[in-house]
Amino acid sequence: MSYSSKKSPNSEKILISSGSPFEEMTGYSRAVAFGEEIHVSGTTGYDYSNMTISEDTGEQADQCFKNIKKALEMADFEIEDIVCLRTYFPNRSDWAAIAEVISKWCNSARPTSTAVVCGLVDEEMKVEIEAYARRTSAR
């Protein structure tokens, strides 16, 4: 599976796909960019190149950011452009591992952030991260 992008008909939106079967199954885009903004859907720790997911929460969180980074790059955005994160996870005890990864990836961007303890779609998913970014400099 590979990332792809296409312009939405009659719109300035750019629809970005990771090639994940989840996107096709539920009719959504990995990310939608328009102008200087991009919204990245809730992203789990699947490695979409081979549809595997680690059992380790920290590794899943890291893969979430790798997937988010790829989606951002498809529309010429960077991790540093992230202004808002929403993180969903089922087990409070996993927060320290997740927070460490968020800090690693977002320390320079310093986005707003919300963490929500809740159930996820599949039991093997230990974290899901949603991102909103806005270009802060001309590229």
Side-chain angles (χ1 to χ4, degrees):
M1 288 180 226
S2 63
Y3 279 72
S4 64
S5 67
K6 67 178 180 176
K7 274 236 180 200
S8 179
N10 303 318
S11 173
E12 293 299 312
K13 292 190 307 186
I14 298 172
L15 307 176
I16 297 166
S17 172
S18 67
S20 162
F22 302 125
E23 295 166 24
E24 185 66 30
M25 180 181 5
T26 58
Y28 74 95
S29 295
R30 170 65 38 219
V32 176
F34 47 96
E36 301 303 309
E37 301 177 17
I38 186 169
H39 292 262
V40 182
S41 292
T43 303
T44 63
Y46 275 97
D47 179 342
Y48 296 121
S49 67
N50 57 23
M51 287 308 293
T52 59
I53 192 165
S54 171
E55 292 182 16
D56 181 80
T57 302
E59 289 176 10
Q60 282 194 26
D62 197 59
Q63 186 64 49
C64 289
F65 278 102
K66 290 175 183 176
N67 295 339
I68 289 168
K69 182 176 189 268
K70 286 180 188 175
L72 292 171
E73 289 173 345
M74 291 296 298
D76 196 28
F77 285 81
E78 301 172 355
I79 288 287
E80 290 76 19
D81 295 324
I82 295 174
V83 296
C84 181
L85 284 179
R86 289 182 195 90
T87 305
Y88 308 93
F89 54 102
N91 298 311
R92 277 187 174 86
S93 61
D94 286 338
W95 176 242
I98 295 166
E100 183 178 332
V101 174
I102 292 171
S103 179
K104 174 183 126 181
W105 281 89
C106 294
N107 198 41
S108 65
R110 304 294 265 202
T112 63
S113 183
T114 299
V116 180
V117 177
C118 63
L120 298 178
V121 173
D122 191 315
E123 295 214 5
E124 63 186 356
M125 297 173 182
K126 296 183 178 186
V127 60
E128 183 171 334
I129 301 173
E130 179 182 356
Y132 166 72
R134 183 166 176 79
R135 278 197 202 95
T136 56
S137 61
R139 281 198 281 286

